[in-house]
Amino acid sequence: QVQLVESGGGWVQPGGSLRLSCKSSGSIDSPYLMDWHRQAPGKRREMVAQINSSGGMKTYANSVRGRFTISRDSAENTLLLQMSNLLPEDTGVYYCRALYMDYTSWGQGTQVTVSS
């Protein structure tokens, strides 16, 4: 199965920006959907952004729309999440996921902490 490795997390002050990357061991043109999820301490994991295989369809959670942008770099087999105007409530572990017809792959997660 394909392996996914996230990177780019860290600590940032409110209002700051981070860019998360999710490197796939296989082609990111293969899954029919890829998305980013996050999980805050004590809360359920939630999807924040999703993109289809062509990149023509993007979906965002209401809480991040207008601040986060999901994109795909097929040449690098990497899923990206540009996060701007970060808020303390954006704090959590961010995971990428790839959905194939017969299985689903998750990355191990990267921590994002937004605080002053």
Side-chain angles (χ1 to χ4, degrees):
Q1 291 192 353
V2 168
Q3 304 298 314
L4 302 174
V5 179
E6 300 96 334
S7 62
W11 174 82
V12 64
Q13 291 186 333
S17 299
L18 282 174
R19 189 176 82 157
L20 304 184
S21 298
C22 172
K23 177 74 172 178
S24 174
S25 62
S27 171
I28 64 166
D29 293 331
S30 297
Y32 63 90
L33 286 173
M34 292 191 75
D35 44 36
W36 287 96
H37 295 243
R38 69 184 179 193
Q39 188 165 21
K43 294 189 176 181
R44 296 176 59 184
R45 190 175 297 188
E46 62 171 348
M47 189 185 75
V48 295
Q50 187 175 74
I51 189 168
N52 69 347
S53 57
S54 70
M57 183 198 76
K58 300 178 182 180
T59 304
Y60 297 95
N62 289 336
S63 59
V64 307
R65 187 175 292 113
R67 300 187 297 118
F68 290 12
T69 301
I70 189 171
S71 62
R72 299 162 66 251
D73 183 342
S74 294
E76 296 293 330
N77 289 320
T78 299
L79 180 71
L80 302 168
L81 185 68
Q82 178 67 46
M83 306 186 295
S84 303
N85 192 20
L86 284 160
L87 306 170
E89 49 263 45
D90 294 319
T91 294
V93 180
Y94 284 68
Y95 301 89
C96 69
R97 181 181 70 160
L99 289 90
Y100 299 81
M101 290 301 178
D102 53 352
Y103 72 95
T104 298
S105 284
W106 287 89
Q108 83 292 345
T110 185
Q111 175 71 44
V112 171
T113 302
V114 185
S115 72
S116 54

